[in-house]
Amino acid sequence: MDTFKFGFSVFKKYLPHAIFVFALQLVATYFGLYFARGQQMIIDYALSDVQPGSSVGGVLGFLVSGKFGAPRSVEILITLCIAYFVIVFTKHTIVYVDSLLRQWYGVEMEGDFRRAAMKKLYEQSQHTLSRYSAGDLYTILNVDTAQFKELFCTVLPSLLSCVITYAMSIYFLSSVSPVLVIAPLIATPLYAFASFFYVKKARRLSADIRDAASDLTMVVQENIHAVRTVRAYAQEAKEIAKFATKNQKMDAAFMRNVKTQIRFGILFNSLRWGTFLISTGVSGYFAMKGEISVGTFTSFNAYVMIIINCVNSLVSLLFQTQQFMVAGGRLEEFVKTGNLIDSPLKPVELEGKPNIEIKNLTISVDSQILLDNVSVSLPYGKKLGVMGVTGSGKSVLIKTLTRFFEATKGCVTINDTDLRLLDLEEVRRTFSYVMQDVFLFSDTVANNIAFYDPSGSRERIEECAKIAQAHDFILNMEDGYDTVIGERGIGVSGGQKQRISIARALYKKAPVLLMDDASSALDMTTERNLMKAINEYMAGATMVIAAHRAASVAECDEIIFLDGGKIIERGTHDELMAIEGGRYRQIYLSQSAGKEENSL
C-alpha cells in the first residue's frame, strides 16, 4: 500500500486528466455494449420477423418503431447498419482520445519518476550508492520508472473499464432475461478463487525476473566498459561463461513465469469455455421453446463472452499489477532512502574567501577507520601536499572536503562554519576537483573542458588546455577541440584523459583546487611543466595535492604523510628531508635515484 501511495503522490497531479479519461471510458463502454444489441436488432427485425418476447432495442427502440421501415425490409436493414456503423465509429473515436490522453500523462509521470530517481542519484552518498550495482541503478532509472507508470496510465484505467463493462453487461443481460444471468454470476467467484493463487505467485515471479534482469544488465555493462581489459588478460571465455550463467538465470526466471501463465491459462480458459457452453445450452433451450428470439440468443451469448473476457482481463491485469508494484517498490526504496549527506534546512551563507580548518577529523565506514584524528589548517592561499601509500586515506581526506564523506568525529569548517551547516551545492562550488578516477563524457573535447559552464568562450577553454599541457595533443586530434571522445574517454590515453580532466577543473577556477593523484599517468617533464603552469594560474588560491610522487608536492607550503588514516609526518619539504629514516625522505630519495637512472 505504501508503494501505491508513493506512486499516487505523483499521479494526483494528473488526476483531473484521469477523471476525464474515466468519463470517456464510461461512454465508450456504453457504446461498446450496444454492439451486441445492434446485432440482435438486425437479426430480429431485418433478417426475420419480430419474434415473440424479443426486446425492442432499449434506447435504440425508436429505430424499429416502423418509421424507418417495416421488418425484413431493405429500409430497416440499411437503417440498422448505419446505426451500427455510427455506434462503432463513435466508440473507437472515444477510445482513440482516451488512449492518447492516458499515454500523455503516463509519459509525463514516467518523466517525473525518472527525474526523482536521477535527483536522488546525485544527492545520495557514495557509501549508500555502493550498495547498488550498476545494473540495479540502470534498472531503477530506466526500467522500473517505465513499468511503474504503467500501473497508473494503463492498469488502473483498464481495471476500472473491466469493472464497469462487467456491471453494465450484467445489467444488459438481465434486461434480456434475468434467469440467463445465473451462469456467468456463478463462474465469477470461481475465477476470483483461482486468481488469488495466481496473483500471489505472480508477485514472486515478477521479483525474480526483475532481479535476474538487473544481474544480467550489470554483467553486460561491466563487459562493455572492460572489453579491453578482458582481451588484454585473454579472459574472453571466462566472461562469456559468466554472461551465460546470468543469461540462463534470466531464461529460467522467464520460463517459470511462462509455465505458471500456461497452467493458470488452461484453468481460466476451461472456466471461460465451460461457462460459455453452459450459457449457450441454456439460452439455446429457451430459443428452441420460443421464449427468446434468435437475435436475443445471439446478443445473450455476446454479452456472456464480454463478461467472461472481462474476468479474464481482470486476471491478466492483476498479474501485471504485481509486476508493476515490484518495480514501484524498488523505485520507492531508492528514492526514499535517507540521505546520509544532505543540505541543512536553513543553511548558513558562505561569505569571503574560504579559510578551511580540519579539526580532529575521524572518518569510519562500516566499523573501518579511514581517517583517524586528522587536523590540518588551510588558510586561503595555502598549498597542502598529501602523501601516503595506497589506502592510507589521501582520497578520503579530499572527498571529505567536498562532503562525499561525512565526519564521524571532529569537523571541517570554512570560515569557522561547519561544512554541515552550509548549503551542499555552495560547498562543492568552492572546490575544483580533479578526481583520481577520470571520467570523460561522450562529447567533444571542448564540451568536456567547459562542463561547468558551457557558455564559456573558446579562448578560455584553450587557455585552460594549454595550462594542463593538453593543447598540443588536442590540436593533433582529427577535429581538434571538436573531436568527440568515446564513452568514458575511449580513444584517448590515460595521460591525455588526466590532462583534459585537469583543464576541466582549471576552467571552473574555484577558490580551492583539489588534485587527487591527478598526474600519475604523466611523465616527469610533463608533470613538472604542468605544476609550474598551475601554480602560476592559481596564484594566491588554495591547493590540495594528493600524490604518490614526492616531486608533485615538494613545492607545497606544508606536506602531510598519511599511514593507516593517521598523520605520521608533517612539515615543509626541507623539514621532512631532515628527518633521518622518515617515510617522505625515503620515497623522495628513491624516486630521485630512479629518475637519475632513467636519464642515463
Side-chain angles (χ1 to χ4, degrees):
M1 195 63 185
D2 288 340
T3 300
F4 182 82
K5 288 179 180 178
F6 164 70
F8 188 80
S9 66
V10 176
F11 174 66
K12 64 184 180 182
K13 181 167 64 172
Y14 306 100
L15 198 55
H17 302 89
I19 292 172
F20 181 66
V21 164
F22 177 65
L24 289 176
Q25 286 181 329
L26 280 175
V27 177
T29 300
Y30 187 78
F31 273 92
L33 290 174
Y34 264 97
F35 288 179
R37 186 59 61 89
Q39 291 174 345
Q40 172 195 346
M41 294 173 66
I42 290 173
I43 292 172
D44 281 348
Y45 291 94
L47 304 181
S48 62
D49 292 327
V50 179
Q51 299 295 317
S54 64
S55 170
V56 294
V59 296
L60 299 179
F62 73 95
L63 294 174
V64 292
S65 62
K67 295 180 180 179
F68 299 95
R72 301 193 67 180
S73 66
V74 174
E75 291 83 358
I76 193 65
L77 177 63
I78 293 174
T79 299
L80 292 177
C81 286
I82 292 173
Y84 195 79
F85 172 79
V86 171
I87 291 171
V88 172
F89 179 79
T90 304
K91 193 250 185 179
H92 286 291
T93 301
I94 294 171
V95 168
Y96 170 77
V97 176
D98 163 77
S99 300
L100 204 61
L101 283 173
R102 282 194 289 115
Q103 288 305 314
W104 172 80
Y105 74 70
V107 170
E108 291 294 315
M109 279 190 70
E110 182 180 344
D112 291 339
F113 286 136
R114 189 170 284 123
R115 279 187 290 273
M118 198 68 182
K119 185 173 182 288
K120 191 67 177 184
L121 179 70
Y122 284 113
E123 288 178 348
Q124 193 54 271
S125 69
Q126 200 69 30
H127 176 61
T128 302
L129 288 178
S130 66
R131 300 172 187 170
Y132 296 87
S133 68
D136 283 333
L137 293 173
Y138 176 85
T139 303
I140 289 169
L141 285 162
N142 286 286
V143 180
D144 291 343
T145 51
Q147 289 191 344
F148 194 37
K149 62 93 175 176
E150 290 293 333
L151 178 66
F152 294 91
C153 76
T154 300
V155 173
L156 286 182
S158 298
L159 281 171
L160 285 171
S161 178
C162 282
V163 171
I164 294 166
T165 303
Y166 180 88
M168 284 188 174
S169 296
I170 293 293
Y171 169 75
F172 274 81
L173 205 56
S174 63
S175 68
V176 174
S177 174
V179 177
L180 299 178
V181 182
I182 296 173
L185 285 178
I186 291 175
T188 300
L190 297 176
Y191 268 99
F193 182 74
S195 299
F196 173 78
F197 294 99
Y198 181 51
V199 169
K200 188 177 180 180
K201 197 162 188 177
R203 189 174 184 89
R204 185 174 69 253
L205 290 170
S206 296
D208 291 344
I209 292 172
R210 194 263 184 202
D211 291 340
S214 178
D215 290 343
L216 184 63
T217 301
M218 181 183 69
V219 172
V220 171
Q221 285 186 328
E222 283 181 348
N223 279 275
I224 289 172
H225 296 313
V227 63
R228 291 183 294 181
T229 303
V230 173
R231 289 172 180 169
Y233 283 84
Q235 293 296 301
E236 293 91 338
K238 176 184 174 182
E239 291 303 313
I240 289 172
K242 185 198 294 185
F243 172 81
T245 301
K246 298 297 183 183
N247 197 36
Q248 287 172 0
K249 181 182 175 183
M250 182 78 169
D251 290 345
F254 268 112
M255 283 308 300
R256 288 195 299 273
N257 183 48
V258 168
K259 289 176 182 177
T260 300
Q261 288 193 44
I262 290 173
R263 284 196 295 267
F264 278 94
I266 292 171
L267 174 60
F268 291 130
N269 276 323
S270 298
L271 288 171
R272 175 186 182 187
W273 289 109
T275 304
F276 179 73
L277 288 173
I278 292 171
S279 299
T280 301
V282 172
S283 60
Y285 173 77
F286 282 113
M288 290 172 64
K289 291 183 66 176
E291 295 184 17
I292 61 173
S293 68
V294 175
T296 302
F297 169 80
T298 303
S299 66
F300 167 77
N301 284 289
Y303 284 128
V304 168
M305 286 305 296
I306 290 172
I307 291 170
I308 294 171
N309 288 335
C310 269
V311 177
N312 272 341
S313 295
L314 281 169
V315 172
S316 176
L317 290 167
L318 289 173
F319 176 83
Q320 292 179 43
T321 298
Q322 301 311 306
Q323 179 183 357
F324 299 153
M325 286 293 282
V326 168
R330 300 297 173 88
L331 176 63
E332 178 195 19
E333 179 186 359
F334 179 72
V335 171
K336 287 190 173 181
T337 299
N339 293 342
L340 295 178
I341 298 174
D342 206 350
S343 292
L345 294 176
K346 294 182 179 180
V348 177
E349 187 175 346
L350 183 62
E351 296 180 351
K353 295 178 178 179
N355 294 290
I356 302 169
E357 290 286 338
I358 302 172
K359 302 176 181 179
N360 305 315
L361 180 65
T362 296
I363 303 286
S364 62
V365 175
D366 295 334
S367 302
Q368 180 183 1
I369 296 177
L370 306 180
L371 288 178
D372 190 359
N373 198 32
V374 172
S375 294
V376 179
S377 179
L378 272 173
Y380 183 71
K382 180 177 179 177
K383 293 178 174 54
L384 175 71
V386 185
M387 285 197 65
V389 297
T390 301
S392 60
K394 302 187 300 297
S395 296
V396 175
L397 178 62
I398 287 180
K399 288 177 179 178
T400 304
L401 294 175
T402 53
R403 286 196 71 196
F404 287 115
F405 282 97
E406 199 78 292
T408 307
K409 294 180 182 178
C411 64
V412 178
T413 66
I414 299 180
N415 297 344
D416 297 323
T417 302
D418 194 311
L419 281 185
R420 290 166 288 196
L421 300 178
L422 299 169
D423 181 74
L424 187 57
E425 287 190 11
E426 188 171 15
V427 169
R428 291 176 179 169
R429 281 196 296 267
T430 304
F431 299 93
S432 290
Y433 189 180
V434 186
M435 297 184 177
Q436 186 176 23
D437 182 18
V438 176
F439 183 93
L440 297 180
F441 295 92
S442 182
D443 204 341
T444 64
V445 175
N447 287 343
N448 268 280
I449 294 173
F451 177 68
Y452 181 71
D453 179 15
S455 64
S457 66
R458 179 57 66 91
E459 290 76 15
R460 184 180 168 196
I461 293 171
E462 292 184 5
E463 178 191 12
C464 294
K466 289 175 182 177
I467 296 167
Q469 312 299 299
H471 180 68
D472 291 341
F473 82 75
I474 292 173
L475 291 181
N476 289 329
M477 298 174 83
E478 184 178 356
D479 295 314
Y481 282 86
D482 295 319
T483 301
V484 176
I485 300 172
E487 187 178 0
R488 295 182 66 89
I490 293 176
V492 292
S493 69
Q496 290 172 337
K497 285 196 289 186
Q498 281 191 334
R499 281 178 277 174
I500 293 173
S501 178
I502 292 168
R504 179 166 59 195
L506 296 173
Y507 179 88
K508 183 180 178 182
K509 203 171 184 180
V512 183
L513 176 64
L514 306 176
M515 299 181 68
D516 187 2
D517 205 16
S519 56
S520 58
L522 305 181
D523 61 77
M524 291 287 191
T525 302
T526 302
E527 183 184 25
R528 184 169 59 252
N529 294 335
L530 171 70
M531 295 310 300
K532 180 182 177 182
I534 288 176
N535 284 325
E536 291 175 359
Y537 183 72
M538 299 293 293
T542 304
M543 292 176 60
V544 179
I545 304 169
H548 287 285
R549 293 176 182 169
S552 300
V553 300
E555 300 297 324
C556 291
D557 302 316
E558 184 182 16
I559 303 166
I560 59 174
F561 196 99
L562 294 172
D563 188 9
K566 296 181 179 180
I567 298 176
I568 60 171
E569 295 176 11
R570 70 190 312 158
T572 63
H573 170 74
D574 292 337
E575 290 170 347
L576 294 178
M577 289 298 293
I579 302 174
E580 290 293 336
R583 297 286 297 279
Y584 176 84
R585 173 188 167 90
Q586 291 175 1
I587 292 173
Y588 185 83
L589 293 175
S590 175
Q591 291 175 349
S592 298
K595 179 181 176 183
E596 290 176 5
E597 289 178 6
N598 291 333
S599 65
L600 294 177

